[in-house]
């Protein structure tokens, strides 16, 4: 069977192909028309000339307009105060600048893409300036010239050659004038002025039969005309009209609906090339013409209808004779340098088409979304759930296989397998060398398959789905998910090299998966590339991307550099419908999504025909001209554009308009800007310039700013053109140094004044506070005195109560016990008991009397009254009290005080003190003696009470000898008597101290002031 098939294929290739239907090879042009409704100041154009920066200048009857391809900037009396009239009459040729004359003879000189001078004298080519008062000659404007034929009847007509030479034509004589002198003449019988022209500084004449005569000085020469004009049917009919633009030094011949540029050749002959076709120039009243040779664009100026721009279309659309729009999807190669679609329609590379026999098969038909040709030449397609194999001549069905689901894409790999995907999990495949073996299933983890592509690494299959991209390992079927594309609906996969996978999606744009890293390509400014159908690489290193809104071209190396971080932006060149498509909507969702011929030509499916082109022949008009500032405005006040501007501090709005000459698709022109300041260190933020090319700033603080404006000028790394505008916002009066110094001085004075006021206020407040504090202090002192007095009274009362308790316990309770014990004694002792009882009771009475005196002193306020007291009788009185007890204990009491010795003191308190000292001595003495003596000296009287008793402990003596001790801190072994003495010391201004006698016992000394 294979042998028969191969033989059949060979015979098919030997058979002559059916002749394709005739192809229309006529050049097509896209025409843009601008009138006053599109910004043109007026519809009558008197001249067209480009400048060195790429702008186009148009002389109109309402000013001189500069055109950048999208925006007209008009120079007229409205914005040129020196200009008296805006009615432009002609543009003069000039070697260094553009010179334009208005109807009253004013000359506008253009340089640097702006009007720089207004005067009355023409800069160079002075002989061209028309002066109505001088009737010597008439300088032509070019052909056509409405006034030339009229003036030629009565005076010479001047044709410009160089700045100092020209040709003067009068009747049948042509004079060559150089520096004002005629150096030779040419006689031309039956001369038609309108057929003369200067090309390459040589004079030529176009005969009515299409022959051209040239002159070498006064010698005529026959000139050979070559080129596209000769093939024009109108040339043989001599329907030729001469059009000449002396300013651009371009000469054209217009035939019936076509215009040709005449180019002088080095050999002296002239070549003709068609610059525009299918256009009736007389019908549009075209009076001026300029051809941009680089971009193959023609500018036509009309005397009544404005400006026409004609651009030759670069793409060809292939369609059949079917009625209506033809929607194409998948294509496959067909013998004879052609492509075939699933419907059986073939297109030759030149555009001819042919219907194959399969197209007439009504029982079998293929859906248009997938078509694959295997190595054996068999075409595979789908019909719902049926996989069909079509013969190599596309005449009959060879195979049919039914799958359990609707078939998606079909892909024939180089290893002889046909892969089929569908809605549900898994892949099917067929061995194309032996299709009869039937379908085989691969349990891969993929479903809703949209595209299948074999990798450059053996054993890998890349599968795109409605939910991402997957890598399938063969033959195991192990599936890896490519992270980051989970929500992407994959439209196509392109693999130019191992580990370099390009992915287009329906909703997420374009991705590059390279070296296991996924990079999202930036979108174009219009976001057309959000839905990208297909990627096709040409032989020049560019990738073509189809979308629903046109075709993009990007340099593959730029994308790789962007993915590696070597490049920050990508330049996408956009092709729209004006380049020759019937529609901007290309088709996707098919496999294959594009077709490449053996010679590198590419065919792309669209919603209306197959778009065919040769990438090498496609001219890209990159926006590589400079950036210009047309005008500025702040607070509604216009100003001329420049690179530096000073703004007042209180400005509310500042606008500037930028432009760059570009006559291609404006979607290829990207402007961005950022604002910088000297003291800013933040990263630059680039913002897109609005579609009207206006940048607006408002309310900037004072300082120096820079507005950076940039655009991408083409492919490659850092392909930027940048313009910097320096903006200086003037300082407000309050920001100036003198104002700040004045404010500082005023502030210092204010602070000093406020400080003084504050100090004065604080001083006043302090005085008031001092008075309040004084009043409060006095009240507090009074209160404290009262409280201290109360506290003292309470303390004394507490001590008194404590002492009373002790006295009662010790001095009263003990004698009572003694009396009780004595009363229980034998009757023989009654007299003695009676005496002792009496003495004990008498002692108790004296003790109570002392306590009463002590209590009175504790509650008595103020000083105690002093009196002169004789010490001897007072001592005798106290000894008399204790003598019965002393006799009973065997104690001898001796009063050794001088009878004449006196002291000034409160007698009552001194009696209490002496009583307690004597009582203490009697208490601790047994069978011994007690002596009371006194001595005087230095105004002091010292009373000594000496006993021979058991002696006083050291702790008690130390307590007595410390003068700061009062009755509160006594030892537990100290008697109530000594405590009373210590408390009464301050009242009588006395000092008490104790010492031990050498022979035993204690001496208590009480020192008093003799005179109180």
């Amino acid at each position: 069977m294979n042998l028969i098939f191969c033989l059949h294929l060979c015979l098919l290739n030997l058979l002559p192909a059916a002749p394709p239907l005739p192809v229309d090879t006529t050049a097509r042009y896209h025409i843009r028309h601008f009138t006053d409704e599109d910004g043109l100041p007026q519809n009558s154009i008197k001249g067209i000339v480009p400048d060195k920066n790429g702008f186009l200048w148009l002389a109109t009857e309402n000013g001189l307009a500069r055109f950048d391809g999208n925006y007209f900037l008009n120079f007229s009396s409205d914005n040129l105060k020196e200009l008296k009239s805006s009615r432009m009459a002609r543009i003069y040729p000039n070697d260094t600048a553009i010179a334009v004359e208005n109807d009253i003879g004013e000359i506008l000189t253009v340089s640097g893409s702006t009007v720089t001078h207004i005067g009355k004298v023409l800069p160079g080519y002075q002989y061209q300036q028309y002066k109505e008062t001088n009737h010597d000659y008439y300088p032509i404007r070019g052909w056509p010239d409405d006034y030339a034929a009229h003036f030629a009847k009565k005076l010479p007509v001047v044709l410009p050659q160089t700045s100092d030479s020209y040709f003067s034509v009068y009747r049948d004589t042509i004079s060559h004038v150089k520096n004002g002198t005629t150096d030779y003449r040419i006689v031309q019988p039956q001369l038609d002025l309108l057929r003369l022209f200067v090309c390459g500084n040589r004079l030529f004449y176009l005969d009515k039969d299409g022959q051209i005569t040239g002159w070498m000085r006064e010698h005529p020469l026959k000139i050979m005309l070559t080129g596209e004009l000769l093939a024009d049917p109108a040339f043989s009919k001599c329907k030729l009209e001469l059009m000449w633009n002396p300013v651009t030094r371009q000469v054209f011949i217009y035939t019936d609906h076509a215009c040709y540029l005449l180019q002088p050749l080095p050999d002296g002959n002239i070549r003709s090339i068609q610059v525009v076709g299918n256009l009736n120039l007389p019908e549009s009243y075209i009076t001026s013409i300029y051809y941009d040779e680089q971009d193959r664009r023609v500018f036509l100026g009309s005397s009544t209808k404005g400006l026409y721009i004609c651009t030759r279309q670069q793409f060809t659309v292939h369609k059949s004779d079917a009625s209506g729009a033809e929607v194409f999807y998948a294509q496959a190669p067909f013998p004879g340098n052609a492509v075939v679609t699933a419907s059986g329609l073939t297109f030759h590379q030149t555009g001819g088409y042919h219907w194959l026999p399969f197209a007439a098969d009504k029982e079998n038909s293929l859906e248009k979304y997938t078509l694959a040709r295997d190595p054996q030449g068999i075409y595979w397609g789908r019909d719902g759930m049926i996989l069909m194999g079509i013969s190599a001549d596309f005449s009959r069905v060879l195979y049919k296989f039914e799958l359990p689901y609707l078939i998606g894409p079909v892909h024939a790999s180089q290893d002889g397998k046909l892969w089929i995907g569908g809605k549900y999990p898994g892949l099917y495949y067929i061995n194309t060398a032996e299709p009869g073996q039937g379908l085989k299933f691969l349990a891969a983890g993929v479903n809703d398959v949209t595209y299948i592509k074999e990798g450059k690494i053996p054993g890998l299959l890349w599968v795109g789905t409605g939910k991402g991209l997957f890598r399938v390992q063969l033959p195991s079927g192990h599936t890896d998910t490519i992270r980051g594309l989970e929500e992407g609906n994959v439209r196509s996969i392109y693999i130019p090299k191992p580990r370099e996978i390009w992915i287009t999606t329906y909703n997420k744009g374009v991705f590059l998966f390279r070296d296991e890293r996924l990079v999202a390509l930036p979108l174009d400014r219009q976001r057309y590339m959000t839905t990208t159908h297909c990627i096709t690489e040409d032989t020049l290193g560019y990738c073509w991307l189809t979308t629903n809104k046109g075709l993009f071209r990007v340099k593959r190396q730029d994308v790789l550099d962007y993915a590696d971080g070597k490049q920050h932006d990508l330049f996408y060149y956009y092709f729209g419908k004006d380049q020759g498509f019937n529609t901007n909507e290309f088709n996707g969702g098919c496999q294959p999504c594009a077709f490449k011929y053996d010679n590198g030509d590419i065919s792309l499916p669209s919603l209306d025909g197959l778009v065919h082109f040769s990438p090498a022949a496609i001219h890209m008009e990159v926006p590589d001209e400079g950036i210009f500032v047309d005008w500025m405005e702040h607070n509604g006040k216009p100003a001329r554009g420049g690179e530096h501007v000073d703004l007042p501090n209180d400005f509310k709005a500042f606008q500037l308009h930028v432009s760059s000459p570009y006559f291609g698709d404006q979607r290829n022109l990207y402007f961005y800007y950022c604002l910088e300041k000297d003291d800013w260190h933040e990263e630059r933020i680039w913002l897109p310039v609005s579609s009207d090319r206006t940048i607006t700033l408002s309310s900037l603080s004072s300082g120096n700013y820079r507005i950076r404006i940039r655009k991408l000028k083409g492919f490659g790394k850092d392909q930027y053109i940048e313009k910097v505008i320096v903006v200086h916002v003037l300082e407000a009066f309050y920001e100036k140094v003198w104002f700040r110094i004045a404010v500082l001085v005023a502030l210092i004075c204010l602070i000093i004044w406020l400080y003084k006021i504050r100090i004065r206020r604080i001083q006043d407040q302090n005085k008031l506070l001092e008075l309040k504090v004084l009043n409060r202090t006095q009240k507090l002192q009074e209160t404290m005195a009262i409280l201290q007095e109360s506290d003292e009274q309470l303390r004394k009362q507490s001590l008194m109560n404590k002492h009373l308790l002790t006295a009662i316990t010790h001095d009263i309770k003990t004698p009572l016990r003694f009396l009780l014990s004595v009363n229980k004694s034998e009757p023989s002792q009654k007299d003695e008991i009676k005496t002792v009882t009496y003495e004990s009771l008498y002692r108790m009475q004296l003790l109570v009397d002392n306590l009463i005196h002590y209590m009175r002193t504790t509650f008595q306020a103020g000083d105690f009254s002093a009196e002169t007291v004789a010490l001897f009788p007072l001592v005798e009185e106290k000894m008399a009290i204790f003598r019965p007890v002393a006799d009973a204990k065997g104690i001898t009491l001796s009063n050794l005080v001088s009878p004449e010795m006196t002291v000034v003191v409160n007698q009552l308190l001194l009696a209490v003190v002496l009583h307690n000292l004597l009582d203490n001595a009697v208490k601790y003495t047994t069978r011994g003696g007690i002596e009371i003596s006194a001595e005087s000296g230095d105004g002091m009287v010292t009373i000594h009470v000496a006993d021979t008793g058991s002696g006083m402990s050291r702790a008690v003596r130390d307590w007595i000898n410390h003068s700061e001790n009062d009755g509160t801190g006594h030892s537990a072994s100290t008697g109530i008597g000594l405590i009373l003495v210590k408390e009464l010391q301050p009242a009588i201004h006395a000092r008490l101290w104790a010492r031990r006698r050498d022979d035993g016992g204690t001496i208590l000394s009480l020192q008093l002031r003799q005179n109180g």
Side-chain angles (χ1 to χ4, degrees):
M1 179 176 176
N2 290 335
L3 180 62
I4 296 174
F5 173 75
C6 292
L7 180 62
H8 177 76
L9 182 60
C10 293
L11 291 175
L12 179 64
N13 290 330
L14 293 176
L15 290 176
L21 295 181
V23 180
D24 183 10
T25 59
T26 305
R28 291 176 172 82
Y29 298 86
H30 173 70
I31 300 176
R32 297 169 66 193
H33 186 201
F34 294 90
T35 66
D36 57 349
E37 296 179 358
D38 305 297
L40 189 67
Q42 201 268 342
N43 291 327
S44 297
I45 297 177
K46 300 301 181 66
I48 302 176
V49 62
D51 67 14
K52 296 179 180 179
N53 292 321
F55 289 102
L56 196 71
W57 291 86
L58 310 172
T60 76
E61 294 187 358
N62 190 28
L64 179 63
R66 193 198 72 185
F67 186 47
D68 65 1
N70 184 62
Y71 175 80
F72 292 94
L73 180 63
N74 193 38
F75 295 88
S76 65
S77 57
D78 293 337
N79 52 15
L80 298 175
K81 295 181 180 180
E82 300 177 16
L83 189 65
K84 301 298 187 294
S85 174
S86 298
R87 192 181 182 91
M88 302 297 138
R90 64 169 68 192
I91 301 177
Y92 290 110
N94 196 288
D95 298 331
T96 58
I98 297 173
V100 183
E101 185 182 33
N102 64 8
D103 60 339
I104 60 175
E106 293 178 308
I107 305 296
L108 281 71
T109 304
V110 177
S111 62
S113 297
T114 187
V115 176
T116 57
H117 179 73
I118 299 175
K120 288 289 187 177
V121 179
L122 187 67
Y125 290 81
Q126 286 86 357
Y127 65 84
Q128 276 286 98
Q129 188 170 5
Y130 175 72
K131 296 182 179 180
E132 200 168 335
T133 58
N134 186 355
H135 298 290
D136 293 341
Y137 59 85
Y138 171 76
I140 69 165
R141 304 177 183 181
W143 305 133
D145 188 324
D146 297 337
Y147 301 101
H150 168 72
F151 283 107
K153 296 177 181 179
K154 53 184 179 180
L155 53 86
V157 174
V158 169
L159 282 66
Q161 184 189 33
T162 65
S163 61
D164 58 358
S165 64
Y166 58 89
F167 296 96
S168 176
V169 182
Y170 185 66
R171 300 188 186 279
D172 60 356
T173 302
I174 304 171
S175 301
H176 181 260
V177 180
K178 184 176 179 63
N179 293 326
T181 303
T182 302
D183 59 350
Y184 65 88
R185 287 185 174 86
I186 300 171
V187 178
Q188 177 69 25
Q190 299 180 347
L191 177 65
D192 185 353
L193 175 67
L194 302 182
R195 291 184 174 272
L196 281 172
F197 63 93
V198 177
C199 186
N201 288 337
R202 291 181 60 190
L203 182 65
F204 297 93
Y205 185 77
L206 178 64
D207 293 333
K208 293 182 179 180
D209 59 359
Q211 298 298 317
I212 297 179
T213 301
W215 283 272
M216 185 63 67
R217 292 182 63 84
E218 62 268 26
H219 304 291
L221 297 172
K222 290 295 183 181
I223 303 299
M224 181 180 294
L225 181 64
T226 61
E228 299 175 350
L229 175 60
L230 303 181
D232 192 324
F235 179 74
S236 60
K237 300 177 183 179
C238 297
K239 293 182 178 180
L240 307 177
E241 180 181 350
L242 195 64
M243 304 187 74
W244 178 25
N245 187 344
V247 183
T248 61
R249 294 174 173 81
Q250 290 180 332
V251 182
F252 305 88
I253 291 180
Y254 175 70
T255 64
D256 188 11
H257 300 287
C259 188
Y260 299 84
L261 173 69
L262 302 183
Q263 294 179 323
L265 299 175
D267 59 3
N269 295 318
I270 293 179
R271 177 180 61 186
S272 62
I273 59 171
Q274 181 178 332
V275 295
V276 68
N278 299 320
L279 187 64
N280 191 335
L281 300 187
E283 185 180 70
S284 300
Y285 302 100
I286 302 301
T287 58
S288 56
I289 182 171
Y290 163 66
Y291 177 62
D292 181 358
E293 295 186 47
Q294 179 179 349
D295 296 319
R296 294 184 295 180
R297 182 174 289 111
V298 179
F299 299 90
L300 303 171
S302 170
S303 61
T304 58
K305 296 185 178 181
L307 176 67
Y308 294 87
I309 302 178
C310 305
T311 306
R312 179 174 292 189
Q313 296 177 335
Q314 304 185 83
F315 295 84
T316 303
V317 176
H318 293 167
K319 293 181 65 174
S320 70
D321 56 355
S323 60
E326 294 186 345
V327 181
F328 291 98
Y329 285 90
Q331 310 164 73
F334 194 76
N337 202 22
V339 297
V340 62
T341 66
S343 59
L345 176 63
T346 64
F347 284 96
H348 192 267
Q349 189 172 356
T350 59
Y353 64 91
H354 180 70
W355 291 98
L356 298 176
F358 181 77
D361 189 349
K362 304 300 181 182
E363 295 182 0
N364 299 293
S365 62
L366 294 178
E367 296 177 9
K368 62 184 71 174
Y369 301 103
T370 186
L371 186 64
R373 183 183 180 185
D374 65 20
Q376 283 70 38
I378 298 178
Y379 295 92
W380 296 90
R382 76 185 193 198
D383 181 15
M385 299 170 63
I386 304 298
L387 177 69
M388 299 173 60
I390 311 299
S391 63
D393 59 356
F394 228 87
S395 61
R396 58 195 178 91
V397 177
L398 299 180
Y399 302 101
K400 281 188 177 183
F401 299 98
E402 185 173 1
L403 273 74
Y405 50 62
L406 290 174
I407 299 174
V410 175
H411 172 66
S413 63
Q414 296 299 319
D415 61 357
K417 288 186 174 60
L418 183 75
W419 293 95
I420 307 102
K423 192 71 176 176
Y424 299 104
L427 295 172
Y428 286 87
Y429 64 94
I430 292 176
N431 187 348
T432 57
E434 298 178 351
Q437 294 181 356
L439 293 170
K440 297 180 181 179
F441 182 72
L442 179 66
V446 293
N447 59 346
D448 191 16
V449 177
T450 58
Y451 210 89
I452 303 174
K453 189 72 173 179
E454 61 181 315
K456 295 294 182 179
I457 299 176
L460 283 183
L461 194 68
W462 295 86
V463 180
T465 71
K467 291 292 184 180
L469 177 67
F470 299 88
R471 177 170 47 196
V472 179
Q473 307 283 344
L474 300 177
S476 66
H478 176 75
T479 304
D480 298 325
T481 302
I482 305 304
R483 301 296 178 187
L485 281 172
E486 290 81 1
E487 298 300 321
N489 185 345
V490 176
R491 300 290 275 177
S492 70
I493 303 171
Y494 172 60
I495 308 176
K497 292 176 61 178
R499 294 190 265 299
E500 182 183 326
I501 296 90
W502 299 58
I503 308 102
T504 67
T505 67
Y506 190 80
N507 52 2
K508 298 291 183 179
V510 183
F511 295 85
L512 176 62
F513 185 68
R514 186 164 175 256
D515 296 330
E516 300 299 318
R517 189 169 65 93
L518 184 69
V519 178
L521 272 60
L523 297 175
D524 61 294
R525 188 166 177 177
Q526 292 78 22
R527 301 182 65 83
Y528 292 166
M529 288 173 55
T530 301
T531 298
T532 303
H533 301 307
C534 188
I535 295 178
T536 305
E537 186 178 1
D538 60 27
T539 57
L540 304 175
Y542 292 92
C543 292
W544 297 81
L545 295 85
T546 61
T547 72
N548 283 339
K549 296 292 183 66
L551 180 64
F552 289 90
R553 192 181 194 184
V554 64
K555 198 170 185 178
R556 176 168 169 259
Q557 187 59 47
D558 286 358
V559 176
L560 299 181
D561 289 343
Y562 176 83
D564 292 339
K566 301 177 182 178
Q567 192 166 320
H568 301 293
D569 293 294
L570 285 179
F571 178 73
Y572 299 106
Y573 192 91
Y574 177 80
F575 297 93
K577 183 179 177 181
D578 56 352
Q579 292 288 332
F581 317 147
N582 290 337
T583 174
N584 277 336
E585 187 170 349
F586 289 84
N587 277 332
C590 57
Q591 187 169 357
C593 57
F595 177 77
K596 185 186 294 185
Y597 290 92
D598 293 338
N599 68 344
D601 285 7
I602 295 175
S603 178
L604 301 172
S606 79
L607 207 61
D608 189 6
L610 288 175
V611 177
H612 177 271
F613 62 97
S614 175
I618 297 299
H619 171 69
M620 291 185 295
E621 188 176 354
V622 294
D624 56 358
E625 300 291 350
I627 300 173
F628 298 85
V629 178
D630 295 337
W631 52 261
M632 297 179 180
E633 182 180 278
H634 64 85
N635 293 345
K637 298 178 181 179
R640 293 288 294 271
E643 296 184 357
H644 186 277
V645 61
D646 292 327
L647 296 177
N649 184 267
D650 59 347
F651 84 95
K652 296 299 185 293
F654 170 70
Q655 289 184 322
L656 61 88
H657 185 276
V658 298
S659 63
S660 182
Y662 183 69
F663 296 90
D665 196 305
Q666 294 298 310
R667 282 166 287 199
N668 290 320
L669 193 57
Y670 300 91
F671 283 102
Y672 297 91
Y673 77 97
C674 74
L675 183 66
E676 295 179 338
K677 194 178 181 183
D678 290 344
D679 54 353
W680 287 356
H681 303 287
E682 295 86 354
E683 183 180 357
R684 294 176 184 173
I685 300 176
W686 292 94
L687 303 173
V689 178
S690 60
S691 58
D692 62 356
R693 310 281 169 80
T694 301
I695 299 173
T696 302
L697 303 176
S698 61
S699 301
L700 295 177
S701 59
S702 62
N704 293 317
Y705 296 85
R706 289 178 300 276
I707 304 175
R708 294 188 178 273
I709 308 166
R710 68 162 44 168
K711 70 171 183 176
L712 280 171
K713 67 176 182 179
F715 302 102
K717 182 180 179 181
D718 298 329
Q719 292 292 311
Y720 298 112
I721 293 178
E722 189 169 289
K723 183 81 169 181
V724 179
I725 310 299
V726 178
V727 178
H728 176 62
V729 181
L730 301 177
E731 293 180 338
F733 72 92
Y734 52 81
E735 293 179 308
K736 296 186 180 295
V737 175
W738 64 265
F739 181 83
R740 293 182 178 180
I741 294 175
V743 170
L744 180 60
V745 172
L747 185 60
I748 293 173
C749 294
L750 180 61
I751 291 174
I752 294 174
W753 181 67
L754 292 175
Y755 177 76
K756 289 184 177 180
I757 292 177
R758 178 66 175 169
I759 293 298
R760 188 178 297 113
R761 185 177 179 184
I762 291 174
Q763 289 175 347
D764 294 341
Q765 290 179 347
N766 286 341
K767 290 179 180 178
L768 294 176
L769 185 60
E770 287 176 359
L771 292 175
K772 291 182 180 179
V773 169
L774 183 59
N775 294 333
R776 293 274 183 94
T777 302
Q778 291 177 350
K779 291 181 180 179
L780 287 174
Q781 288 177 346
E782 294 174 358
T783 304
M784 288 297 297
I786 296 172
L787 290 176
Q788 289 176 355
E789 184 178 356
S790 299
D791 182 67
E792 184 67 18
Q793 294 293 333
L794 290 174
R795 187 176 69 84
K796 289 181 179 181
Q797 185 176 0
S798 176
L799 288 174
M800 182 188 70
N801 293 335
K802 184 177 180 182
H803 295 163
L804 286 175
L805 179 61
T806 305
I808 294 171
T809 303
H810 182 271
D811 297 327
I812 297 178
K813 190 176 180 180
T814 300
L816 290 177
R817 276 202 199 115
F818 178 71
L819 291 175
L820 290 175
S821 62
V822 171
N823 289 330
K824 291 181 180 179
S825 302
E826 294 298 330
S828 60
Q829 301 176 346
K830 287 183 181 181
D831 292 335
E832 183 179 356
I833 291 172
K834 180 178 178 181
T835 301
V836 173
T837 301
Y838 169 78
E839 292 175 353
S840 296
L841 291 176
Y842 180 73
R843 183 180 175 187
M844 290 174 59
Q845 186 266 334
L846 290 176
L847 176 62
V848 171
D849 187 54
N850 281 336
L851 289 175
I852 291 172
H853 285 301
Y854 171 70
M855 291 174 64
R856 286 177 180 174
T857 60
T858 57
F859 288 101
Q860 184 176 352
D863 296 332
F864 296 98
S865 59
E867 55 185 314
T868 302
V869 179
L871 290 180
F872 182 82
L874 183 60
V875 172
E876 280 296 322
E877 179 183 348
K878 295 303 176 184
M879 283 188 173
I881 296 172
F882 291 97
R883 192 163 276 117
V885 178
D887 292 340
K889 296 179 67 176
I891 300 172
T892 302
L893 300 178
S894 301
N895 184 0
L896 303 179
V897 178
S898 174
E900 292 82 12
M901 187 170 288
T902 61
V903 67
V904 179
V905 72
N906 186 284
Q907 185 175 350
L908 177 63
L909 296 181
L910 181 58
V912 173
V913 171
L914 290 176
H915 178 90
N916 285 285
L917 291 177
L918 188 57
D919 178 64
N920 187 72
V922 172
K923 186 185 302 181
Y924 295 102
T925 304
T926 305
R927 299 197 181 279
I930 298 175
E931 295 177 353
I932 298 178
S933 61
E935 60 182 351
S936 63
D938 298 330
M940 302 298 293
V941 175
T942 304
I943 302 173
H944 303 287
V945 180
D947 64 66
T948 59
S950 60
M952 189 178 291
S953 68
R954 184 178 181 85
V956 176
R957 288 201 308 271
D958 292 341
W959 176 77
I960 292 173
N961 292 335
H962 282 81
S963 60
E964 62 272 11
N965 289 337
D966 56 9
T968 59
H970 58 82
S971 173
S973 61
T974 305
I976 187 63
L978 289 177
I979 293 173
L980 293 176
V981 171
K982 289 292 286 181
E983 287 190 356
L984 292 176
Q985 272 185 248
I988 61 177
H989 306 290
R991 178 189 171 203
L992 178 68
W993 69 88
R995 66 181 182 275
R996 182 178 180 82
R997 291 181 59 170
D998 296 336
D999 54 353
T1002 304
I1003 300 174
L1004 290 174
S1005 299
L1006 181 68
Q1007 189 178 59
L1008 300 169
R1009 288 184 293 181
Q1010 192 170 8
N1011 297 321

